[in-house]
Amino acid sequence: MSTIDLLILASVVGSLVAILVFAVYYLTASKAESLSLTAKEEGYTDSNAYWREQLYGKPRPLTWSIFTYDDAKSIGLRYIFTSVVFLFIAGAFGVLMRVSLFDPNPVIIQPIIYNILMTQHATLMIYMFAIGAALGFGYYLLPTQLRLKRDNMGHWSSVAYWLWVLGGALFVLSRSSMRWYLYPPLSLQLTPTGAGTFNWLAIIAMELIFIGITMASIIVLKVIFIDRSDDITLSKMPIFAWSVVFTLIMLLSSDEPLMVGLGMLFYDFFNPVFFTGATSTPLTFAVLFWFWGHPIVYIAVIPYFGLMYDIITRFTKTPVYSYFSGVFSLGLLMILSELVWGHHLLNSGLGIDWVLFFTSASFVVVIPSALTIFNMIGTLWKAEKIRLTTPMMFVINAILDFIIGGVLGVMLANQSVNEVAHGTYFVTGHFHFIFVGLTLGVTMAVFYLLYPTFSNGRVYDERLAKWHLYITAFGSLLMSFSWTVGGYLGMPRSVAGYFAQFQPYQDSAIIGGVIIGIGQLVFLYNIAKSWLAQPTTDPYNILEYRTETNQEIGGGE
Amino acid sequence: MNSKVKNELIYTIVVLAILLVVAVINVNYIDGHKANIAQPENNSTVPANSTIIKVTGYQWAWSFTYTNGTTSTDYLYVTAGHTYTLQVQSKDVIHDLLIPNLGVQVYAVPGHPNQVTFEPTKQGTFIFECVEYCGQDHYLMRGYMEVS
């Protein structure tokens, strides 16, 4: 495609996007305006809170109107449900990829399709599922946990949400096969065999996603610091609120390098001066990317740590073992994780001194993670009674999987292991232990916890929910463990075919991946079945509503 | 000192001690294997007894040029007990050469040649592969190393 054609296409798409965004904004804003007036007439305490009659009031039945209401609860629900939808899309892509690796040579799915699935799976899972669900739980839970004084940035949140969704949709449409790294010069090859013909659209989509999550982050930080009730001081905030603060500060302080980098990359389509010119190197982009790309993997974990603390305190009726060290270690994690991005590039010719720095820094970042896990174990230890409900078991499974994944991470931080395992399935196994066990598991735990509220008092089948956990946990263990072993023997990742000697590891990983998929189908069946039944209980949940017990233990010491 | 602070101190110190041991092992390894870590190409840091092999990665194959001027594609021929330095460059996009059995890994970056030194000890045939995604046939960018 010639440069002129590309420019024309880009400007047409840009204009269409702008028109669409404006239309969405106008429609939601005017609808919200009229609803605001209605609310005032009907005497709601908070003019934007249509979801509740008052802050701790009875929730209303879930309707499609959450997509037009602009109060924090509705925005949170939008984010939660959208991210679950993207979870299933990206998860289906993941299972397809697994199945296609049944044979060492690509016979079921052509490599070109495989590469698209791989790119979509990674990007959608990270930007649309992990960040989306974290923002959703933030928007949904924080207003009640912090007893919000006001809720007045709803229109902005709505715009941020729609930009984010638009970015995700455009990314799917772009059919990019560039992997989520977007390294030039490959990402500049706009051919089906390179980065995909429409990779430029993927870069626009990524920018839209970034603008969306940046806006949402600023608003959530404003909600936490400015709008929270006067009697909840910083030291009394639940750890979840703290974890959201740290996550969003990290997000805001490290996504600019990649936003700028993507802009430069887009310019390189027309005039390659920044990353592929005579005086530049593509590694410059790699550095910009990982300066964001490393913090992002913590962004997909830290808010879930906060939720784990909250769920543990609810089901053990015990305060957090050490509130101070819980908050402190999450804060330390935020600072240290900004210093270790180089360990993704150890073998790229950084030079010995930088290798020494980044490997040593990677050991330091383990300390706060370990303190967090010990703190959770301490809380469980001190509890007189642990109620093993489905959400609680998901959290315990998350702790186990995080320990395994974390130890594999410490191994990877050794240069001697990194030379063997970097770029192999060992790395994939390391982070899938954490992402499937912790990010997916805790999202499901919170979803189950909030389900009676979402569904106006319906009850999910506890037995099926437990099976969902067992199947997912077993599948995740089998898949990630096969990858780890195979990867240590040199099985490369992100390939559509492989040496026949790796077939046992791939095939057992396929079984694991399909089992995870079946587990999520059990979840869907469970939700669908109970949704069709009649409500049988009160639509309250212990995470959001303050009962007598969590009134005492919700905050700090 | 109450028991809670004591427990916190104990687990912090245990974690610190384990990490310190691993970190020292890592620093020792890096210090003792400076030539075996991928680094920018520089003929003055190639060990004196080492034979230079020029490696070029392109979409989607590896080619190796030996000191006598011969070239092989997707096959690397070396002798056991001898030291080699791979000087790796790329013609098009970023690649990453991995020989898993020897722990040799080096990026092939256009405009930024790297080098890495290794010494095969065992005879036999070993695999190598590209582990940085590089387009459609990335998975075919692999081959065998024959150690005689």
Side-chain angles (χ1 to χ4, degrees), chain A residues 106 111-112 115 118 177-179 181 183-186 189 193 281-283 321-322 325 344 347-349 352 355-356 359-360 363 366-367 370-371 374-375 414-416 418-420 422-424 489-490 492-499 501-502 557, chain B residues 3-5 7-8 11-12 15-16 19 22-23 25-27 29-30 34 36-40 59-60 92-94 96 98 100-107 109-112 114 127-139 142-144:
Chain A
I112 208 157
N115 294 337
M118 175 181 74
S177 55
M178 192 35 241
R179 209 181 174 184
Y181 293 0
Y183 285 170
L186 181 60
Q189 287 185 346
T193 57
T281 156
L283 284 181
Y321 184 66
S322 166
S325 98
H344 297 267
N347 305 301
S348 66
I352 305 293
V355 170
L356 204 58
T359 49
S360 305
F363 291 119
V366 180
I367 298 168
L371 293 190
F374 277 121
N375 207 349
N414 279 287
Q415 174 60 18
S416 49
N418 196 283
E419 284 169 355
V420 182
H422 176 83
T424 69
L489 300 173
R493 61 190 271 220
S494 58
V495 285
Y498 48 92
F499 282 114
Q501 72 195 75
F502 296 126
E557 290 162 310
Chain B
S3 73
K4 197 167 103 179
V5 177
N7 286 345
E8 281 184 73
Y11 62 63
T12 312
V15 170
L16 273 176
L19 287 175
V22 192
I25 293 173
N26 177 53
V27 170
Y29 173 83
I30 293 176
K34 277 187 180 150
N36 305 96
I37 296 169
Q39 53 199 287
Q59 286 171 320
W60 291 275
D92 33 43
V93 303
I94 299 182
D96 185 358
L98 169 67
N101 294 61
L102 294 171
V104 174
Q105 177 158 172
V106 56
Y107 274 60
V109 183
H112 184 278
N114 285 322
I127 56 166
F128 66 79
E129 57 217 4
C130 174
V131 292
E132 183 55 62
Y133 175 71
C134 54
Q136 187 194 15
D137 285 339
H138 162 59
Y139 75 104
R142 61 191 187 194
Y144 294 96

Side-chain angles (χ1 to χ4, degrees), chain A residues 139 156-157 159-160 163 210-220:
Chain A
Y139 268 118
W156 290 96
S157 303
V159 173
L163 284 173
F210 272 119
I211 296 169
I213 56 179
T214 307
M215 281 172 71
S217 307
I218 295 170
I219 295 165
V220 174

Side-chain angles (χ1 to χ4, degrees), chain A residues 39-100:
Chain A
K40 262 193 201 118
E41 282 163 13
E42 293 179 10
Y44 288 128
T45 47
D46 188 335
S47 64
N48 272 328
Y50 306 103
W51 182 243
R52 301 278 184 280
E53 288 166 15
Q54 53 192 17
L55 203 51
Y56 296 100
K58 192 177 177 202
R60 299 179 157 197
L62 190 65
T63 59
W64 288 106
S65 49
I66 55 164
F67 287 95
T68 48
Y69 293 174
D70 281 349
D71 64 302
K73 291 275 175 198
S74 302
I75 303 270
L77 288 168
R78 284 189 215 177
Y79 269 107
I80 293 171
F81 286 108
T82 315
S83 63
V84 169
V85 167
F86 274 104
L87 164 74
F88 275 90
I89 296 173
F93 289 168
V95 173
L96 269 177
M97 276 158 70
R98 274 308 103 216
V99 172
S100 80

